[in-house]
Amino acid sequence: MSESPVLRIGAREAAARLNLLAGHTPVPMLARVLRARGAAAVVITGDTHDWLDTPHAQGWLARPRSGPADHAARFEAALAQGWVAADAAVLARLPDHASAADLPVLSCGDRRIPWVPPRDARPDAGVYAIVDSAARVRACAEAGARLVQLRIKAERDHPALVPELREALRAAQAHGATLVVNDHWRSALAIGAPALHLGQEDWLSLDETERAAIAAAQALGLQLGLSSHSLWELCRARGAAPAMVACGPVWPTLTKAMPWVPQGLDNLAWWVRMAGLPVVAIGGILAPEQLAQAAATGAATACVVRGLGDDPHATLPVWQAAWREGRSRSRITPPAWPHPTLAPDRPAPPASPAPLPA
């Protein structure tokens, strides 16, 4: 069987290519076999859900409406413009002049999920401080930060972390700040932390039961934040109904090695328009003017890491003033379409294989 590098076809055609009866084989299995036979990526289209099986993402892409009639041509055009297949699948379903009400959502596995509508709230959360110790949480909270993330690079949920997390929580609460625990989700739930942030790889590494535990905590008030670097990650984040979604890296960053092309202010403004959630600007914000520019996109908050220096009591007022000044500027107009954030020939974190029916 001769295959195109990237296939985007309906379930009936997919079955026919494999000499199978339509409707007798689960769609995810059809896609997996087509990839095993040589297709670089497969998108199987449907009335309300498309199944993605690509090098970067797998899952059901659920949408509120059919979208543009020329979606097949839009998919090919997106590939020609340098988008990877997972992102092209999203763009194919967005109409001209799209809004957050048009953004699809992406599942984490082979279970179909309902489309998640946008939320209208665009809060102003000010400067988002990211630190690595309870002592620095206290310093940032004392200096007036309302959002402080504790990012400790250690074995996930190691018992030795709990005293530090509890101390950080007490420090944040004493000064009216919200503590966001990065990565260590079980420990965050155990101590009653008000907020949790997970990267996409961390989110994908959880099983259904673990994601259900976090969803139950969300129903009781936990604020979940998720990272996003691409269109498919934005769709996956929206599907988890988080309190905030991070867009990054806005500028080149040395904090961690990444394959992503910087978002720039144009993509950040597009995220703000399309996410349907409060957006966190993150990555490469090293100068107050950059923070002001991020604020002018309408982002709900923006992260400062290295810029906090040794003494947040001295540095945070400068960053907070820049944020307020940026929020007072005219809003940066988002582009009609974003630019690609991953070149087709550059690797990204691999998609977690979706569980398939036996």
Short mmCIF file of all heavy atoms in Angstrom, two decimals, residues 68-96:
data_model
loop_
_atom_site.label_atom_id
_atom_site.label_comp_id
_atom_site.label_asym_id
_atom_site.label_seq_id
_atom_site.Cartn_x
_atom_site.Cartn_y
_atom_site.Cartn_z
N PRO A 68 -14.90 25.35 9.08
CA PRO A 68 -14.91 25.74 7.67
C PRO A 68 -15.18 24.55 6.75
O PRO A 68 -14.71 23.42 7.01
CB PRO A 68 -13.49 26.29 7.45
CG PRO A 68 -12.92 26.53 8.79
CD PRO A 68 -13.60 25.59 9.72
N ALA A 69 -15.89 24.79 5.68
CA ALA A 69 -16.17 23.72 4.71
C ALA A 69 -14.89 23.29 3.99
O ALA A 69 -14.78 22.15 3.54
CB ALA A 69 -17.21 24.20 3.70
N ASP A 70 -13.94 24.21 3.85
CA ASP A 70 -12.69 23.90 3.14
C ASP A 70 -11.60 23.43 4.10
O ASP A 70 -10.42 23.71 3.91
CB ASP A 70 -12.22 25.11 2.35
CG ASP A 70 -11.92 26.33 3.23
OD1 ASP A 70 -12.37 26.35 4.40
OD2 ASP A 70 -11.23 27.25 2.75
N HIS A 71 -11.99 22.67 5.15
CA HIS A 71 -11.02 22.27 6.18
C HIS A 71 -9.89 21.42 5.60
O HIS A 71 -8.75 21.50 6.07
CB HIS A 71 -11.71 21.54 7.33
CG HIS A 71 -12.57 20.40 6.93
ND1 HIS A 71 -12.09 19.14 6.70
CD2 HIS A 71 -13.91 20.34 6.70
CE1 HIS A 71 -13.08 18.34 6.37
NE2 HIS A 71 -14.20 19.03 6.36
N ALA A 72 -10.17 20.62 4.57
CA ALA A 72 -9.10 19.80 3.99
C ALA A 72 -8.04 20.68 3.35
O ALA A 72 -6.83 20.46 3.53
CB ALA A 72 -9.68 18.83 2.97
N ALA A 73 -8.46 21.70 2.62
CA ALA A 73 -7.51 22.62 1.99
C ALA A 73 -6.75 23.42 3.04
O ALA A 73 -5.55 23.69 2.89
CB ALA A 73 -8.25 23.56 1.04
N ARG A 74 -7.42 23.77 4.13
CA ARG A 74 -6.75 24.53 5.20
C ARG A 74 -5.67 23.67 5.86
O ARG A 74 -4.62 24.18 6.25
CB ARG A 74 -7.78 25.00 6.22
CG ARG A 74 -8.67 26.14 5.72
CD ARG A 74 -9.78 26.45 6.69
NE ARG A 74 -10.64 27.51 6.18
CZ ARG A 74 -10.66 28.76 6.62
NH1 ARG A 74 -9.86 29.13 7.59
NH2 ARG A 74 -11.47 29.66 6.09
N PHE A 75 -5.93 22.39 5.99
CA PHE A 75 -4.94 21.50 6.58
C PHE A 75 -3.69 21.45 5.70
O PHE A 75 -2.56 21.60 6.19
CB PHE A 75 -5.54 20.10 6.74
CG PHE A 75 -4.60 19.08 7.30
CD1 PHE A 75 -4.31 19.06 8.66
CD2 PHE A 75 -4.00 18.14 6.48
CE1 PHE A 75 -3.43 18.11 9.20
CE2 PHE A 75 -3.13 17.19 7.00
CZ PHE A 75 -2.84 17.18 8.36
N GLU A 76 -3.88 21.27 4.41
CA GLU A 76 -2.74 21.21 3.49
C GLU A 76 -1.99 22.54 3.47
O GLU A 76 -0.75 22.55 3.41
CB GLU A 76 -3.22 20.83 2.09
CG GLU A 76 -3.80 19.44 1.97
CD GLU A 76 -2.81 18.35 2.33
OE1 GLU A 76 -1.59 18.56 2.11
OE2 GLU A 76 -3.23 17.29 2.82
N ALA A 77 -2.73 23.64 3.53
CA ALA A 77 -2.07 24.95 3.52
C ALA A 77 -1.24 25.15 4.78
O ALA A 77 -0.13 25.69 4.72
CB ALA A 77 -3.13 26.05 3.41
N ALA A 78 -1.75 24.68 5.91
CA ALA A 78 -1.00 24.82 7.16
C ALA A 78 0.29 24.00 7.10
O ALA A 78 1.35 24.46 7.54
CB ALA A 78 -1.86 24.39 8.34
N LEU A 79 0.22 22.78 6.56
CA LEU A 79 1.44 21.98 6.41
C LEU A 79 2.44 22.70 5.52
O LEU A 79 3.65 22.74 5.82
CB LEU A 79 1.10 20.62 5.81
CG LEU A 79 0.29 19.64 6.66
CD1 LEU A 79 0.01 18.36 5.87
CD2 LEU A 79 1.01 19.31 7.97
N ALA A 80 1.95 23.29 4.44
CA ALA A 80 2.84 24.00 3.50
C ALA A 80 3.49 25.22 4.15
O ALA A 80 4.59 25.62 3.75
CB ALA A 80 2.06 24.41 2.25
N GLN A 81 2.81 25.80 5.15
CA GLN A 81 3.35 26.97 5.84
C GLN A 81 4.31 26.60 6.97
O GLN A 81 4.83 27.49 7.64
CB GLN A 81 2.20 27.80 6.40
CG GLN A 81 1.35 28.47 5.33
CD GLN A 81 -0.01 28.93 5.86
OE1 GLN A 81 -0.24 28.92 7.08
NE2 GLN A 81 -0.89 29.31 4.95
N GLY A 82 4.55 25.31 7.17
CA GLY A 82 5.54 24.90 8.15
C GLY A 82 4.98 24.41 9.47
O GLY A 82 5.75 24.17 10.41
N TRP A 83 3.67 24.24 9.56
CA TRP A 83 3.09 23.71 10.79
C TRP A 83 3.23 22.19 10.82
O TRP A 83 3.08 21.53 9.79
CB TRP A 83 1.60 24.07 10.87
CG TRP A 83 1.33 25.53 11.02
CD1 TRP A 83 1.12 26.42 10.01
CD2 TRP A 83 1.23 26.26 12.23
NE1 TRP A 83 0.89 27.67 10.52
CE2 TRP A 83 0.95 27.61 11.89
CE3 TRP A 83 1.34 25.93 13.58
CZ2 TRP A 83 0.79 28.61 12.84
CZ3 TRP A 83 1.17 26.91 14.54
CH2 TRP A 83 0.91 28.24 14.17
N VAL A 84 3.48 21.63 11.99
CA VAL A 84 3.47 20.17 12.13
C VAL A 84 2.02 19.69 12.05
O VAL A 84 1.08 20.48 12.22
CB VAL A 84 4.14 19.73 13.44
CG1 VAL A 84 5.60 20.14 13.47
CG2 VAL A 84 3.40 20.28 14.66
N ALA A 85 1.84 18.40 11.81
CA ALA A 85 0.50 17.88 11.53
C ALA A 85 -0.48 18.12 12.67
O ALA A 85 -1.66 18.42 12.43
CB ALA A 85 0.59 16.39 11.23
N ALA A 86 -0.02 17.99 13.93
CA ALA A 86 -0.94 18.17 15.05
C ALA A 86 -1.49 19.59 15.09
O ALA A 86 -2.67 19.81 15.37
CB ALA A 86 -0.24 17.83 16.37
N ASP A 87 -0.63 20.57 14.83
CA ASP A 87 -1.09 21.96 14.79
C ASP A 87 -1.94 22.23 13.56
O ASP A 87 -2.93 22.97 13.62
CB ASP A 87 0.11 22.91 14.80
CG ASP A 87 0.68 23.14 16.19
OD1 ASP A 87 -0.05 22.93 17.17
OD2 ASP A 87 1.85 23.54 16.30
N ALA A 88 -1.55 21.66 12.43
CA ALA A 88 -2.33 21.84 11.20
C ALA A 88 -3.75 21.32 11.37
O ALA A 88 -4.71 21.89 10.84
CB ALA A 88 -1.64 21.15 10.03
N ALA A 89 -3.91 20.22 12.14
CA ALA A 89 -5.24 19.66 12.38
C ALA A 89 -6.11 20.65 13.15
O ALA A 89 -7.33 20.72 12.93
CB ALA A 89 -5.12 18.35 13.15
N VAL A 90 -5.51 21.41 14.05
CA VAL A 90 -6.25 22.43 14.80
C VAL A 90 -6.63 23.58 13.86
O VAL A 90 -7.80 24.00 13.80
CB VAL A 90 -5.42 22.96 15.98
CG1 VAL A 90 -6.16 24.10 16.68
CG2 VAL A 90 -5.12 21.83 16.96
N LEU A 91 -5.66 24.08 13.11
CA LEU A 91 -5.92 25.21 12.23
C LEU A 91 -6.97 24.90 11.17
O LEU A 91 -7.75 25.77 10.78
CB LEU A 91 -4.61 25.64 11.55
CG LEU A 91 -3.58 26.32 12.46
CD1 LEU A 91 -2.25 26.46 11.74
CD2 LEU A 91 -4.08 27.68 12.92
N ALA A 92 -7.01 23.65 10.73
CA ALA A 92 -7.99 23.26 9.71
C ALA A 92 -9.42 23.46 10.17
O ALA A 92 -10.32 23.68 9.35
CB ALA A 92 -7.77 21.81 9.31
N ARG A 93 -9.65 23.41 11.46
CA ARG A 93 -11.01 23.50 12.00
C ARG A 93 -11.35 24.91 12.50
O ARG A 93 -12.46 25.12 13.01
CB ARG A 93 -11.18 22.50 13.15
CG ARG A 93 -11.13 21.04 12.70
CD ARG A 93 -12.23 20.71 11.72
NE ARG A 93 -12.31 19.28 11.42
CZ ARG A 93 -13.21 18.73 10.63
NH1 ARG A 93 -14.12 19.50 10.03
NH2 ARG A 93 -13.23 17.42 10.41
N LEU A 94 -10.43 25.86 12.37
CA LEU A 94 -10.70 27.22 12.82
C LEU A 94 -11.17 28.08 11.65
O LEU A 94 -10.51 28.15 10.61
CB LEU A 94 -9.45 27.85 13.43
CG LEU A 94 -8.94 27.24 14.74
CD1 LEU A 94 -7.68 27.97 15.20
CD2 LEU A 94 -10.01 27.29 15.82
N PRO A 95 -12.30 28.76 11.79
CA PRO A 95 -12.77 29.63 10.72
C PRO A 95 -11.97 30.93 10.70
O PRO A 95 -11.22 31.25 11.63
CB PRO A 95 -14.23 29.90 11.10
CG PRO A 95 -14.21 29.85 12.60
CD PRO A 95 -13.22 28.76 12.95
N ASP A 96 -12.10 31.68 9.63
CA ASP A 96 -11.55 33.04 9.62
C ASP A 96 -12.19 33.83 10.75
O ASP A 96 -13.36 33.63 11.10
CB ASP A 96 -11.84 33.72 8.28
CG ASP A 96 -11.13 33.03 7.12
OD1 ASP A 96 -10.10 32.37 7.36
OD2 ASP A 96 -11.62 33.15 5.97
#
